[in-house]
Amino acid sequence: MKLKKHAFLLILGLFAASLFAQENQEDNGQLLSVESEEVDSDAYEEVISTETKKKNSLSESFSNFFKLGNQTFTEHDTLEFSVLTPLGTLKKEEAVFVSINDTDLAGFGSPYAAGYDYVFFDEADRKRFIDAGNQYLKDFENKKLERKSRKTNHKYGKFTSDVYFGSIKVQAKNQSQPITYLGYTFKKDSPYFMISCLTAPNMRYKNKDDPYPAESSAISYYFTKSQLKNLMNLLSEENLKSYKTSVISEMYLSESDDY
């Protein structure tokens, strides 16, 4: 009986010791796990946050750069104007204000009919455009706009613009240099300033076997007074210089971060 009693007590003691050791091991494991998780998690979150911010900064810096053919375009801003629908009514369109790097060309791009068109002006033509816009605004204020004349869409002069066009934005790689008129017209008794680009040969087209169109389409843009003033401001040399300074700064900062 004594032997059985001693054996029972021994087994009971071993069982209790086993439970204590297991409980102590679990407690220690939980403490170590919590401490490790707190330290590593904070450090990991800090690293991830820094790397993400750097990546986002670089992404934002270059998000407005893209290439069409051999040209690098930079989108700076947005603007609005109207275009004619197939039914002859005006439809408001949002456009992007764009410059071509390493050139003096600046202008805008937007959907037009079944494609996408960019219209660019060089420095001399930007001055002509701004002068024409100022004359139109003066004629508007002085009530000198003619309602019944058919030649008003040519009134403020002409020059040769650079047009890039294609079926969609990223495929606007065709290029032409159409004669471009500046003037105005009335739609439902309201005057609109006009930019009209005539058709012109596609410089990318070589022969009839090419898949490209032989020429660009005629395109016209209609501006209210406020929309015209906005484009005049965007095309001003002061504004373009500020954009170029900003782009150079972004590139420099991005290269520094990358280094």
Side-chain angles (χ1 to χ4, degrees), residues 62-108:
F62 288 99
S63 63
N64 57 349
F65 289 83
F66 60 98
K67 292 185 74 69
L68 287 178
N70 296 322
Q71 303 283 17
T72 302
F73 288 32
T74 305
E75 293 185 359
H76 301 286
D77 214 324
T78 60
L79 64 148
E80 288 184 340
F81 47 69
S82 294
V83 297
L84 276 181
T85 67
L87 298 177
T89 58
L90 290 180
K91 173 191 174 186
K92 185 180 289 186
E93 198 70 70
E94 183 174 278
V96 290
F97 183 71
V98 186
S99 65
I100 301 181
N101 296 7
D102 301 322
T103 74
D104 69 340
L105 295 175
F108 54 86

Side-chain angles (χ1 to χ4, degrees), residues 81 95-96 108-120 163-169 172 174 176 216-219 221:
F81 47 69
V96 290
F108 54 86
S110 75
Y112 194 93
Y116 199 97
D117 294 82
Y118 290 94
V119 179
F120 290 100
V163 171
Y164 286 79
F165 61 99
S167 55
I168 58 176
K169 183 177 182 179
N174 301 293
S176 67
S216 59
S217 301
I219 50 181
Y221 303 97

Side-chain angles (χ1 to χ4, degrees), residues 12-247:
L12 185 61
L14 290 172
F15 180 73
S18 174
L19 286 176
F20 176 80
Q22 182 177 357
E23 184 177 359
N24 188 51
Q25 182 178 5
E26 288 176 354
D27 287 344
N28 288 339
Q30 286 176 353
L31 287 173
L32 287 175
S33 176
V34 168
E35 290 176 359
S36 175
E37 184 178 353
E38 286 177 352
V39 173
D40 291 347
S41 178
D42 287 345
Y44 180 75
E45 288 295 332
E46 184 177 351
V47 170
I48 290 297
S49 177
T50 303
E51 290 299 320
T52 302
K53 286 179 181 178
K54 181 178 178 181
K55 183 177 180 181
N56 287 344
S57 176
L58 290 174
S59 176
E60 288 171 3
S61 296
F62 288 99
S63 63
N64 57 349
F65 289 83
F66 60 98
K67 292 185 74 69
L68 287 178
N70 296 322
Q71 303 283 17
T72 302
F73 288 32
T74 305
E75 293 185 359
H76 301 286
D77 214 324
T78 60
L79 64 148
E80 288 184 340
F81 47 69
S82 294
V83 297
L84 276 181
T85 67
L87 298 177
T89 58
L90 290 180
K91 173 191 174 186
K92 185 180 289 186
E93 198 70 70
E94 183 174 278
V96 290
F97 183 71
V98 186
S99 65
I100 301 181
N101 296 7
D102 301 322
T103 74
D104 69 340
L105 295 175
F108 54 86
S110 75
Y112 194 93
Y116 199 97
D117 294 82
Y118 290 94
V119 179
F120 290 100
F121 308 148
D122 62 21
E123 184 175 355
D125 293 335
R126 288 195 296 273
K127 186 179 184 306
R128 292 187 181 96
F129 170 79
I130 292 172
D131 289 344
N134 283 326
Q135 185 60 54
Y136 168 78
L137 294 172
K138 184 178 179 181
D139 290 344
F140 188 104
E141 295 300 326
N142 293 329
K143 299 182 179 180
K144 291 185 177 181
L145 300 180
E146 302 176 47
R147 292 176 178 269
K148 298 182 179 181
S149 174
R150 296 182 179 180
K151 298 181 180 180
T152 57
N153 58 343
H154 296 177
K155 182 172 182 177
Y156 299 119
K158 66 177 182 179
F159 52 79
T160 301
S161 62
D162 284 82
V163 171
Y164 286 79
F165 61 99
S167 55
I168 58 176
K169 183 177 182 179
V170 296
Q171 292 181 345
K173 300 178 181 180
N174 301 293
Q175 184 182 6
S176 67
Q177 294 182 322
I179 294 174
T180 300
Y181 288 100
L182 304 175
Y184 67 90
T185 190
F186 278 81
K187 293 290 183 182
K188 290 186 177 180
D189 296 327
S190 297
Y192 290 85
F193 184 87
M194 285 185 68
I195 300 175
S196 304
C197 302
L198 303 185
T199 60
N202 182 5
M203 298 165 66
R204 195 181 181 194
Y205 180 85
K206 303 301 180 184
N207 56 63
K208 63 180 181 180
D209 295 325
D210 284 341
Y212 323 120
E215 61 182 14
S216 59
S217 301
I219 50 181
S220 295
Y221 303 97
Y222 300 79
F223 297 81
T224 64
K225 281 200 308 180
S226 60
Q227 291 169 348
L228 172 61
K229 290 176 181 178
N230 183 43
L231 181 55
M232 290 168 64
N233 177 63
L234 290 172
L235 288 171
S236 67
E237 295 309 307
E238 294 80 7
N239 185 62
L240 289 172
K241 286 178 182 177
S242 69
Y243 280 141
K244 288 180 181 179
T245 301
S246 176
V247 169

